[in-house]
Amino acid sequence: MAYIFWNIKVSGMCALYVDMSTEYAEYPDKDSQYEQMRDSFYLLSVMNQYSIEQRMPRNEAEKLLRIVLWSDSLQLEVVEDESRGLVKRRRKLARTIRESRKRGVVPVFISLMWFLFSLIVSTQAAFGQLGQNTTAHNLALGLLLAWLPSLILFSIVDRNPIAADAIRIKLDRLLDATRRALLDPSLRDTYIRDVGRSRQDFEWTEKPKNEDYFREDFFTRFSGQGRVRWHCGVAPSILAGIEKTPITRYGRGWLADSYKARTILVKGPEKLYGLHWFDRRSVWQIMASVALVGASFLGAFTISYFTPTVGLGCRSGGYVIYLSLAVMNIIIEGLCWALVREESMGDRDPLARFGLNLDRRLFSSSSHWKTIAHTIVHSTQQWWQHFTARDKIEKLILQPLDIFNSLWLSYIVISQVFGFYHTCDCQCSMWTSIGGYMDFETFDFYRGAGVSDYWGASTALSFITLMLAFAEALELRGSSADSRRDFINRGIALNKC
């Protein structure tokens, strides 16, 4: 969920910078510089959802992206057709992506109202039979899973094109056309003369000649909506550089002098951050995702723990195991991001060395079965060597943890639905050092003992968190990805209010 929040944050920052490019009372038309800037920032938000080659030079790749997104002087081909120019191709590509993007936040929200309705019914039934085991645990299970509808809504807000691979190919073609134009001496010299910069500023264009890094498939795969671990995209470094230059220097209306603004955007700050840069302010998104899931867990755990018989039992203990595995997963993932580099481990990988030694021994054997084993080991070794150190940790540790935790959550749901918890051990609080006990008190006793206070506080915590998440998901429906003029102007007016 944190990765989804990061993508949403990038989309929000792009929309904010576009909105700040105009004055308060200004509503630009469709052929204005504002529209071109809106297309450029929208393309940046789409590019942020794709992964790039890990070995690609970071600074040179960022400079290439800045020219692709904001230059209006570079001629891509030696033709007089203006439709083949960089600005026209950006506008056409942005329109294509907007028309093919996925929609449906409001319809899905309406369908999720059934979840809210059933949760409200469970709440009323649980408080109507205070202390009753079955109804209370049904409510706790609903609170435990309350973060799932929020995940669905935010995934839709972090919308992606219907044909992600087709859009990736279009983005790659635009980048490759720009790269080839910069490698063409005549086109590059014309561009340098038009923008009034020195040749030293474009010495970096020698790097894009390397086909190992810069080729037609600049973007490798779609990684948005939290599908790929450790994906922070290409946008954070570029947006941080923009924040340090025209935004803070000129404030609102920074696009008034479009030539100067574009020059600053293309050039960037004196010291580029480089792609794959992690913005430390994104820790807030991690904390928000942890808070959303943690509030759901806390509400479920409190109800199960204080449901008589009070104490740690099958249900509350199962919730603790589920959260412990999730916390362990996110800690390992964070440590890998901070301490493990992205490149391959090479000879330092003990599994790779073991596979190489085994492969050599099997290769020297003439046995039929050992030949088959050699083929399998050799293929596995070649497949394993393509992964980076982070990928290997993910496949050996993180993915098994994910699978086991998902199975454990499924076990909790199935046990509650089919009554597998209706045993003597689970009715008692057995997870203690002094053994378990059974409670035979009435509802009035539990109400007087303050059980309703614990239930009310935990239910309110989960409900408030869920409602805030739903409201935020609806609010994040922006106008930067829409192509309707009335919707765009209405979005500009709301932003300026």
Side-chain angles (χ1 to χ4, degrees):
M1 189 175 290
Y3 297 109
I4 296 176
F5 287 170
W6 286 343
N7 285 332
I8 294 175
K9 174 191 173 184
V10 167
S11 299
M13 291 180 66
C14 290
L16 175 64
Y17 291 166
V18 172
D19 173 69
M20 290 183 65
S21 66
T22 62
E23 298 294 343
Y24 280 104
E26 184 179 355
Y27 296 92
D29 56 40
K30 64 179 181 179
D31 296 322
S32 62
Q33 289 288 329
Y34 168 84
E35 278 296 316
Q36 296 183 24
M37 202 60 59
R38 180 171 171 266
D39 291 338
S40 298
F41 276 96
Y42 177 62
L43 289 178
L44 176 62
S45 68
V46 174
M47 291 178 179
N48 190 65
Q49 292 189 318
Y50 290 89
S51 298
I52 66 173
E53 176 64 46
Q54 296 290 346
R55 300 176 301 163
M56 187 173 296
R58 300 185 177 187
N59 289 346
E60 288 75 11
E62 180 177 339
K63 291 177 180 179
L64 177 61
L65 280 176
R66 286 179 173 275
I67 293 177
V68 170
L69 291 170
W70 290 293
S71 175
D72 61 350
S73 304
L74 180 63
Q75 188 177 1
L76 298 184
E77 300 179 52
V78 188
V79 293
E80 296 182 357
D81 185 7
E82 293 185 358
S83 64
R84 305 301 298 273
L86 187 54
V87 175
K88 296 291 185 180
R89 290 189 62 170
R90 278 200 304 260
R91 173 169 294 187
K92 180 180 179 181
L93 180 57
R95 183 175 65 251
T96 301
I97 298 176
R98 288 187 180 108
E99 292 173 352
S100 64
R101 69 185 176 88
K102 293 181 180 179
R103 298 177 173 86
V105 177
V106 175
V108 173
F109 175 79
I110 294 174
S111 65
L112 289 177
M113 293 300 293
W114 287 108
F115 172 83
L116 295 177
F117 176 75
S118 62
L119 192 59
I120 292 173
V121 171
S122 299
T123 304
Q124 189 275 335
F127 279 86
Q129 301 179 11
L130 190 65
Q132 181 67 12
N133 195 285
T134 303
T135 54
H137 291 307
N138 288 338
L139 172 62
L141 183 62
L143 297 181
L144 179 67
L145 302 176
W147 59 271
L148 283 175
S150 303
L151 176 64
I152 295 172
L153 277 179
F154 283 115
S155 298
I156 298 174
V157 172
D158 182 24
R159 52 173 62 94
N160 62 289
I162 296 176
D165 288 335
I167 298 302
R168 178 184 61 82
I169 293 174
K170 294 179 183 295
L171 292 172
D172 285 337
R173 288 175 178 172
L174 178 62
L175 282 159
D176 191 59
T178 306
R179 181 184 72 90
R180 286 187 279 105
L182 291 172
L183 294 178
D184 186 292
S186 61
L187 294 178
R188 183 175 64 248
D189 292 343
T190 302
Y191 176 65
I192 293 174
R193 184 176 63 254
D194 292 342
V195 297
R197 296 173 63 183
S198 63
R199 293 184 179 274
Q200 287 75 15
D201 293 334
F202 290 89
E203 290 180 350
W204 62 269
T205 55
E206 295 297 321
K207 278 286 185 69
K209 289 183 179 179
N210 191 340
E211 294 289 342
D212 292 336
Y213 307 126
F214 293 92
R215 51 186 185 274
E216 190 169 342
D217 51 342
F218 184 93
F219 296 104
T220 56
R221 58 176 174 172
F222 180 79
S223 304
Q225 297 180 316
R227 302 187 187 187
V228 177
R229 278 189 172 93
W230 304 297
H231 172 74
C232 58
V234 300
S237 60
I238 296 177
L239 292 175
I242 294 173
E243 185 179 357
K244 291 180 63 176
T245 47
I247 299 298
T248 56
R249 186 179 302 174
Y250 300 109
R252 176 165 289 280
W254 57 266
L255 193 58
D257 189 342
S258 61
Y259 176 79
K260 182 182 294 185
R262 286 187 180 277
T263 301
I264 296 174
L265 288 172
V266 172
K267 185 178 180 181
E270 294 184 3
K271 184 179 180 181
L272 296 177
Y273 292 98
L275 301 186
H276 307 300
W277 177 75
F278 177 72
D279 189 352
R280 294 182 179 179
R281 293 172 296 181
S282 298
V283 173
W284 288 106
Q285 279 68 45
I286 300 178
M287 295 174 62
S289 62
V290 171
L292 182 58
V293 178
S296 299
F297 161 80
L298 186 58
F301 173 79
T302 305
I303 288 180
S304 292
Y305 186 89
F306 288 100
T307 295
T309 304
V310 177
L312 197 64
C314 295
R315 295 177 177 86
S316 55
Y319 299 160
V320 171
I321 293 175
Y322 167 73
L323 182 68
S324 300
L325 292 173
V327 171
M328 184 188 306
N329 196 311
I330 194 172
I331 290 176
I332 296 174
E333 191 169 340
L335 291 176
C336 288
W337 200 328
L339 303 177
V340 181
R341 295 184 178 181
E342 298 174 355
E343 64 267 12
S344 175
M345 296 176 65
D347 296 335
R348 297 172 296 167
D349 188 354
L351 290 177
R353 292 199 304 269
F354 172 79
L356 181 61
N357 294 332
L358 181 62
D359 185 35
R360 289 172 179 173
R361 293 184 179 182
L362 293 174
F363 180 75
S364 60
S365 175
S366 58
S367 172
H368 173 69
W369 293 109
K370 288 187 176 181
T371 303
I372 296 177
H374 161 69
T375 304
I376 296 175
V377 171
H378 183 72
S379 301
T380 304
Q381 182 187 7
Q382 295 296 322
W383 169 76
W384 183 254
Q385 288 178 348
H386 285 89
F387 295 121
T388 64
R390 289 180 179 177
D391 293 335
K392 294 175 181 179
I393 294 175
E394 178 182 10
K395 295 187 177 299
L396 291 177
I397 300 177
L398 296 178
Q399 286 185 355
L401 272 177
D402 285 339
I403 294 173
F404 180 80
N405 209 14
S406 300
L407 293 175
W408 183 258
L409 181 61
S410 301
Y411 161 74
I412 292 175
V413 175
I414 293 173
S415 298
Q416 179 67 23
V417 171
F418 292 99
F420 296 158
Y421 284 146
H422 292 169
T423 63
C424 183
D425 289 341
C426 288
Q427 295 289 345
C428 301
S429 297
M430 297 293 295
W431 294 23
T432 62
S433 59
I434 61 175
Y437 69 97
M438 180 68 74
D439 197 337
F440 297 99
E441 293 291 347
T442 62
F443 299 159
D444 293 335
F445 172 80
Y446 300 132
R447 188 176 291 107
V451 172
S452 58
D453 297 335
Y454 293 107
W455 285 17
S458 58
T459 304
L461 173 65
S462 298
F463 262 95
I464 291 173
T465 306
L466 181 62
M467 293 297 102
L468 289 176
F470 276 30
E472 183 68 14
L474 290 175
E475 182 186 0
L476 288 173
R477 295 179 302 127
S479 61
S480 62
D482 208 287
S483 57
R484 296 168 291 176
R485 289 303 308 171
D486 57 340
F487 191 89
I488 295 169
N489 289 333
R490 191 161 62 247
I492 295 175
L494 288 174
N495 286 337
K496 291 177 179 178
C497 288

